[in-house]
């Protein structure tokens, strides 16, 4: 680790120490002492001034101490601290002939291109559930600029996609009455990764079945984020001559709970891709339909005791601007909305959105509940 290129700051260090069992002993604006309970009673010094001339030196000493205590190599500890607020998605291309950790140029090109295609397709499905996107939303196309690629690693050929999971700040608390635009922008990356994991998990289940998925099952998969573009991204890399399988591993940030209902790893070989391509063809030729997905906080609740439904206002970002979207919810969903409102729990709502310029935004709801991408 070069002393002038420390890839983390005090927030990352402190969060990493907290989730690995350390606690503060004492501290000041300049430095803190942290202790690890146990027979050895280990203590480390955490530098708190990133602009100080000796910050990199102190950070290097800290990493070396943690590597010794954890019996890990320095690079592993450094990467763990640097990525504590990030989700890392590993794309691994495999082939029996790949023995030296390298990959043919054409196959490598397809793998890097597929990394981009998977993210953009997943971002599009995070905004809208749609079987085939003629045009990606602008926010989805921006994903290729927002996420980072880590250095390729050994283990056949691994490309890590690094995306924001959560800011150092808390997300939302009980009694929160409005969304934070900066927090919402940060959480979009986590929601995209959760969509990608869930959608790839659905495709893997379809491919593992002993029968071809029915048209109804394929249509239902759209609601989980599956799209023609996602399927195409998978088939492009696995159909490369130098690759016979692709597995994707999701390493969720340690400071943000893993999203509910998402697999940690999925794998697609040539046989699986045959099924994926059948799904892809139906999605490409299916009737054009779409549902919007919004994420936000329940800020308004209105219901008369005799009403069968309740009116709920959810504050969310539309076109990156804060708006309140109104919806009528049946009894069970309304009670869920009340709970989310009282606890400050973010929600995810899927349905048909109507948002006239200058008018009131409304949604006909298909699915309502706590945002599963936040692991709440």
């Amino acid at each position: 680790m070069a002393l002038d290129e420390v890839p983390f700051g005090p927030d990352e260090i402190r969060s990493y120490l907290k989730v690995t069992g350390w606690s503060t002993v004492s501290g000041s604006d300049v430095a803190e002492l942290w202790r690890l309970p146990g027979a050895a009673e280990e203590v480390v010094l955490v530098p708190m001034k990133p602009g100080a001339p000796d910050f990199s030196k102190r950070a290097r000493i800290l990493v070396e101490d943690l590597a010794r205590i954890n019996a890990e190599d320095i690079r592993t500890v450094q990467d763990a601290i640097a990525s504590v607020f990030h989700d890392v998605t590993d794309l691994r291309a495999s082939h029996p002939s790949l023995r030296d950790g390298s990959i043919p140029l054409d196959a490598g090109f397809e793998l890097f291109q597929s990394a981009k295609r998977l993210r953009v397709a997943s971002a599009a499905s995070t905004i809208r559930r749609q079987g085939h996107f003629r045009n990606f939303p602008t926010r989805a196309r921006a994903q290729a600029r927002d996420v980072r690629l880590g250095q390729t690693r050994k283990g056949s050929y691994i490309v890590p996609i690094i995306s924001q999971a959560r800011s150092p700040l808390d997300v939302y608390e009980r009694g929160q009455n409005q969304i934070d635009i900066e927090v919402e922008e940060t959480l979009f990356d986590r929601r995209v990764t959760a969509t990608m994991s869930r959608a790839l998990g659905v495709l893997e289940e379809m491919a593992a079945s002993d029968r071809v998925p029915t048209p109804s099952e394929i249509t239902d998969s759209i609601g989980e984020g599956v799209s023609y573009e996602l399927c195409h991204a998978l088939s492009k890399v696995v159909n490369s001559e130098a690759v016979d399988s692709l597995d994707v591993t999701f390493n969720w940030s340690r400071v943000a709970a893993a999203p509910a209902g998402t697999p940690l790893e999925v794998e697609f070989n040539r046989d699986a891709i045959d099924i994926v391509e059948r799904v892809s063809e139906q999605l490409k030729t299916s009737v054009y339909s779409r549902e919007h997905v919004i994420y936000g906080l329940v800020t308004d609740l209105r219901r008369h005791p005799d009403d069968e439904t309740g009116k709920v206002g959810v504050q969310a970002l539309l076109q990156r601007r804060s708006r309140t979207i109104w919806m009528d919810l049946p009894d069970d969903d309304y009670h869920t909305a009340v709970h989310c409102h009282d606890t400050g729990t973010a929600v995810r709502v899927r349905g048909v959105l109507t948002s006239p310029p200058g008018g009131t935004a409304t949604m006909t709801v298909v699915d309502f509940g706590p945002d599963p991408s936040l692991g709440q």
Side-chain angles (χ1 to χ4, degrees):
M1 176 171 61
L3 295 183
D4 58 346
E5 295 182 358
V6 178
F8 49 75
D11 285 335
E12 287 83 357
I13 296 172
R14 297 173 84 249
S15 292
Y16 171 80
L17 291 174
K18 184 176 180 180
V19 298
T20 52
W22 295 74
S23 58
T24 53
V25 176
S26 62
S28 67
D29 292 341
V30 176
E32 291 180 348
L33 288 178
W34 284 66
R35 179 178 65 89
L36 181 66
E41 197 68 22
E42 299 283 359
V43 176
V44 294
L45 178 79
V46 176
M48 296 297 293
K49 291 286 188 182
D54 65 343
F55 179 82
S56 293
K57 177 181 178 180
R58 298 297 178 188
R60 178 183 176 85
I61 293 172
L62 171 65
V63 171
E64 291 173 348
D65 286 343
L66 292 173
R68 172 185 56 81
I69 294 166
N70 298 340
E72 296 176 323
D73 63 78
I74 290 175
R75 183 55 183 267
T76 298
V77 174
Q78 175 190 315
D79 290 348
I81 297 173
S83 64
V84 73
F85 294 127
H86 294 83
D87 297 320
V88 181
T89 305
D90 288 333
L91 273 63
R92 182 170 73 97
S94 301
H95 192 277
S97 66
L98 300 178
R99 296 191 179 94
D100 60 355
S102 67
I103 193 170
L105 180 61
D106 285 348
F109 175 77
E110 286 299 342
L111 183 60
F112 277 90
Q113 284 289 92
S114 289
K116 176 181 177 180
R117 294 185 186 115
L118 285 170
R119 287 300 300 191
V120 175
S122 299
S125 291
T126 303
I127 299 167
R128 295 199 302 259
R129 295 298 199 255
Q130 200 165 308
H132 180 25
F133 291 87
R134 274 65 174 179
N135 295 293
F136 283 126
T138 302
R139 184 71 178 95
R141 293 196 301 270
Q143 264 293 291
R145 298 190 297 271
D146 293 342
V147 299
R148 312 286 294 177
L149 282 179
Q151 294 182 356
T152 54
R153 297 199 294 264
K154 291 183 179 180
S156 292
Y157 194 83
I158 298 174
V159 174
I161 303 173
I162 303 170
S163 58
Q164 191 85 11
R166 182 166 294 185
S167 73
L169 303 175
D170 289 334
V171 182
Y172 291 122
E173 301 174 346
R174 180 184 293 270
Q176 190 103 14
N177 58 10
Q178 63 180 4
I179 62 172
D180 184 306
I181 293 178
E182 184 176 346
V183 168
E184 285 297 312
E185 290 285 6
T186 298
L187 291 178
F188 183 72
D189 277 358
R190 158 52 73 101
R191 288 162 174 156
V192 171
T193 308
T195 299
M196 181 164 71
S197 177
R198 202 170 289 110
L200 291 179
V202 169
L203 280 175
E204 183 185 50
E205 289 177 5
M206 287 182 174
S209 175
D210 56 1
R211 59 178 177 79
V212 176
T214 65
S216 176
E217 289 171 334
I218 294 175
T219 299
D220 289 344
S221 75
I222 298 173
E224 297 296 333
V226 176
S227 67
Y228 163 78
E229 287 74 16
L230 188 82
C231 296
H232 184 64
L234 289 174
S235 62
K236 285 288 286 184
V237 64
V238 179
N239 283 332
S240 172
E241 291 184 4
V243 175
D244 68 353
S245 70
L246 173 73
D247 64 71
V248 184
T249 303
F250 297 90
N251 305 291
W252 302 105
S253 166
R254 298 180 73 168
V255 298
T262 56
L264 293 178
E265 183 176 2
V266 293
E267 182 175 359
F268 298 90
N269 56 25
R270 294 271 174 100
D271 291 338
I273 289 300
D274 287 343
I275 299 297
V276 170
E277 289 181 337
R278 295 193 188 193
V279 174
S280 174
E281 283 304 309
Q282 177 163 326
L283 292 173
K284 186 177 182 180
T285 58
S286 63
V287 176
Y288 180 83
S289 63
R290 69 183 186 186
E291 294 171 346
H292 285 82
V293 186
I294 63 170
Y295 306 83
L297 288 175
V298 175
T299 55
D300 294 272
L301 296 162
R302 302 176 185 176
R303 186 181 187 183
H304 189 275
D306 296 331
D307 291 343
E308 294 183 358
T309 63
K311 187 172 288 293
V312 173
V314 174
Q315 192 177 97
L317 291 187
L318 293 184
Q319 303 297 323
R320 293 186 160 178
R321 296 179 59 188
S322 177
R323 296 279 302 276
T324 297
I325 299 94
W326 291 94
M327 57 202 71
D328 290 317
L329 297 180
D331 190 66
D332 286 348
D333 285 346
Y334 186 81
H335 284 297
T336 299
V338 171
H339 174 75
C340 291
H341 173 269
D342 292 345
T343 58
T345 301
V347 297
R348 182 189 69 182
V349 193
R350 178 162 58 92
V352 179
L353 177 68
T354 302
S355 180
T360 300
T362 60
M363 177 174 271
T364 302
V365 175
V366 173
D367 183 67
F368 181 96
D371 180 1
S373 62
L374 303 184
Q376 303 172 109

